[in-house]
Amino acid sequence: MSIFKDATPEEINRVMEQSWSAFISYRTYTLRQRADFMRTIAAALGAISTTLIPVAMKETNLPEARLKSELTRTLFQLNSYADACEQGNWLEASIDRPIDHHDNPKPDLRKMRVPLGPVVVFGASNFPFAYSTAGGDTACALAAGCPVIVKAHPAHARTSEIVADCIKKAAAQCNMPEGIFAHLHGTGFEVGENLVMHDRTRAVGFTGSYAGGKALFDQAARRKVPIPVFAEMGSINPVYLLPGKLAESPVEMAKLYAGSITLSAGQFCTNPGLIMGIDNADLQQFITALGKEIERAAPATMLHPGIAQAFVTNRSKALEQDEVNIIAISQQQPEENQAIPTIASVTGRAFLNNPVLHQEVFGPYSLVVKCKDLREMLAVAAQMEGQLTSTLMATEEDIQDNLLLVETVKHNCGRIIINGVPTGVEVCLSMQHGGPFPATTDARFTSVGADGIKRFSRPLCFQNWPDSLLPDELKNGNPLGIWRTVNNELTRA
Ligand code: NAP
């Protein structure tokens, strides 16, 4: 139960109209003004960290160290996306000069990205800072030139409220238009639905469950004017243990994976939920070692009772399926709302025939698929739904011997890791956090890294405009000094 009142339809309407007015002026603000606003938010959040962390600890059950590093990450996102905003590469500015030829004249054409309009953001329960109120989606939308309306996650409503106050104060300090940022509460689906369906909403950022993301995506598609919903809905992040690499160090590999599976009670969308190997003595050694680690792992309190209950239900459902055998369960009794680390196994054939086993069990759970041979592993890879990540544990020889498998894996994920673990998502330009459906609703974009700004913008082409009337980004003299593609050549000239 939230202590905050759910937003009424009238309040939503007022907020959305204000956001629209804010958009009309904010879209003309310079890149520097937007970037300064984002840096001011980062500084304001940093200044209240000692107030913020204990509130978030209480609401999310996440430990202090984890929340401190998440807050640091959030400030880094705001600052680094602010730098990217000003640098302007995301604008993809291009200029094709006119050709004054009597047979084949060509007009002057110039293109850049412009903001979409008010963006509704649904924060993630498992990242109360980095993917919530002042998180990645908010930072990207502000950089793109869009006002933001956050629907607070009810599992950390107080934390969200404090962060929202900080953003509002930063907005006042930077003379931002009224309505540049709004924060609403809602404990049922109604508030979120009304925000997505409102005429003034132009895009949605979402991180959470498949059920939630897909429902909002479908609603947005049914609107009179459909809008994009960028939903990150998690995945099972398959790991392929190729025979050469597995034979080198099955026990060390098992230890590495036990750590990744149980990290933060498994509450990461990049948690390795599926591990595949060829059924042989090396895989058996891996399974035995992994089982020992999992038996020793302590149950951990989950983010909120709803997620703990979902873990119990989804884990039981997975374990009840035909031919699924439990390998190991933590030897410690879980307390209320704690998740019990669990590893199970199944044959490749049973996995291929049972779609229930392809579903995410959000928490410290992983299924080992014992494939009869590499052909069966390839069949599993070919059947795999879209994923945020896939991992190959492989020697160079393994890769050379299995090129079709490697190609197959590449084409159903957003990030392909070799000899590592999928947990741990760096914030940088080359990161891709987004994959084919159902991992996300649009595999062409990322929700981590400054390229995420592009989600909330669209290209606009100016034809034959005089230089003085063009935006600075496209003027002949390049007053902002940004990179642009001029007559097919990238230049800052
Ligand atoms: P969620 O249930 O998808 O909720 C996320 C947000 O979306 C909440 O604000 C929720 O509002 C809203 N929402 C959900 N369904 C909606 C609908 N049909 N219409 C309107 N609004 C809707 O996610 P969660 O509470 O964070 O966790 C539940 C499950 O999501 C987990 O067990 C896990 O499987 C998955 N999850 C995935 C990720 C990921 O990284 N992709 C992260 C966290 C959780 P209300 O809460 O008010 O209903």
Side-chain angles (χ1 to χ4, degrees), residues 429-470:
L429 193 62
S430 305
M431 175 50 69
Q432 174 60 22
H433 194 65
F437 187 86
T440 66
T441 46
D442 197 336
R444 295 169 298 173
F445 295 94
T446 178
S447 58
V448 177
D451 266 349
I453 301 171
K454 291 179 192 166
R455 289 174 298 167
F456 305 117
S457 67
R458 67 179 176 89
L460 174 66
C461 173
F462 294 81
Q463 182 166 337
N464 281 343
W465 278 59
D467 195 58
S468 60
L469 296 180
L470 281 165

Side-chain angles (χ1 to χ4, degrees), residues 72-381:
T72 304
R73 178 194 179 99
T74 310
L75 308 190
F76 178 74
Q77 284 174 178
L78 283 159
N79 286 319
S80 63
Y81 298 178
D83 294 346
C85 168
E86 254 189 301
Q87 215 174 24
N89 294 350
W90 65 275
L91 294 163
E92 295 175 339
S94 64
I95 298 174
D96 282 282
R97 294 196 185 283
I99 299 176
D100 189 15
H101 188 282
H102 53 88
D103 285 339
N104 190 15
K106 291 208 161 109
D108 182 291
L109 293 168
R110 300 174 186 228
K111 186 162 75 172
M112 63 178 276
R113 303 191 76 94
V114 295
L116 288 181
V119 174
V120 170
V121 172
F122 290 79
S125 58
N126 58 339
F127 281 96
F129 300 133
Y131 298 98
S132 284
T133 321
D137 287 352
T138 297
C140 286
L142 292 176
C146 302
V148 171
I149 308 93
V150 168
K151 192 274 188 186
H153 198 294
H156 55 253
R158 277 175 195 270
T159 307
S160 196
E161 188 75 17
I162 299 173
V163 173
D165 276 351
C166 239
I167 300 176
K168 286 177 190 165
K169 280 182 192 144
Q173 202 181 323
C174 298
N175 295 318
M176 287 291 134
E178 201 184 336
I180 182 70
F181 176 84
H183 184 248
L184 299 173
H185 294 276
T187 44
F189 292 167
E190 210 181 322
V191 171
E193 282 171 7
N194 287 343
L195 284 168
V196 171
M197 296 308 281
H198 199 280
D199 281 353
R200 295 302 196 190
T201 304
R202 288 293 182 271
V204 177
F206 172 95
T207 307
S209 65
Y210 172 79
K214 183 66 166 51
L216 296 172
F217 178 82
D218 289 345
Q219 274 163 24
R222 281 197 299 271
R223 284 169 47 121
K224 191 168 156 210
V225 180
I227 53 167
V229 173
F230 298 100
E232 194 263 85
M233 303 175 290
S235 73
I236 54 174
N237 306 295
V239 179
Y240 299 82
L241 308 179
L242 292 181
K245 188 70 184 175
L246 183 61
E248 280 178 7
S249 53
V251 174
E252 285 69 28
M253 219 182 263
K255 285 186 179 158
L256 180 71
Y257 268 87
S260 178
I261 292 163
T262 54
L263 192 66
S264 223
Q267 299 169 114
F268 286 126
C269 46
T270 51
N271 188 60
L274 194 73
I275 302 177
M276 260 168 282
I278 308 302
D279 195 4
N280 61 18
D282 296 326
L283 184 66
Q284 197 43 56
Q285 223 186 325
F286 171 85
I287 289 174
T288 307
L290 184 62
K292 280 190 189 145
E293 296 293 326
I294 293 298
E295 281 175 0
R296 277 198 289 266
T301 306
M302 299 197 85
L303 290 156
H304 59 81
I307 285 205
Q309 189 48 51
F311 177 71
V312 171
T313 309
N314 296 333
R315 172 184 175 273
S316 303
K317 190 171 160 195
L319 296 178
E320 275 163 14
Q321 302 300 308
D322 280 350
E323 296 186 50
V324 172
N325 298 307
I326 295 175
I327 298 171
I329 297 181
S330 162
Q331 293 298 293
Q332 295 177 42
Q333 273 304 311
E335 291 169 13
E336 200 185 0
N337 295 328
Q338 285 194 332
I340 184 153
T342 306
I343 299 293
S345 74
V346 72
T347 61
R349 188 182 44 78
F351 183 81
L352 281 167
N353 292 328
N354 190 347
V356 172
L357 297 175
H358 298 215
Q359 288 166 12
E360 183 182 31
V361 177
F362 194 72
Y365 171 88
S366 193
L367 181 67
V368 180
V369 180
K370 297 178 180 178
C371 299
K372 116 173 150 248
D373 51 25
L374 283 161
R375 264 173 83 122
E376 194 169 70
M377 191 184 271
L378 177 61
V380 173

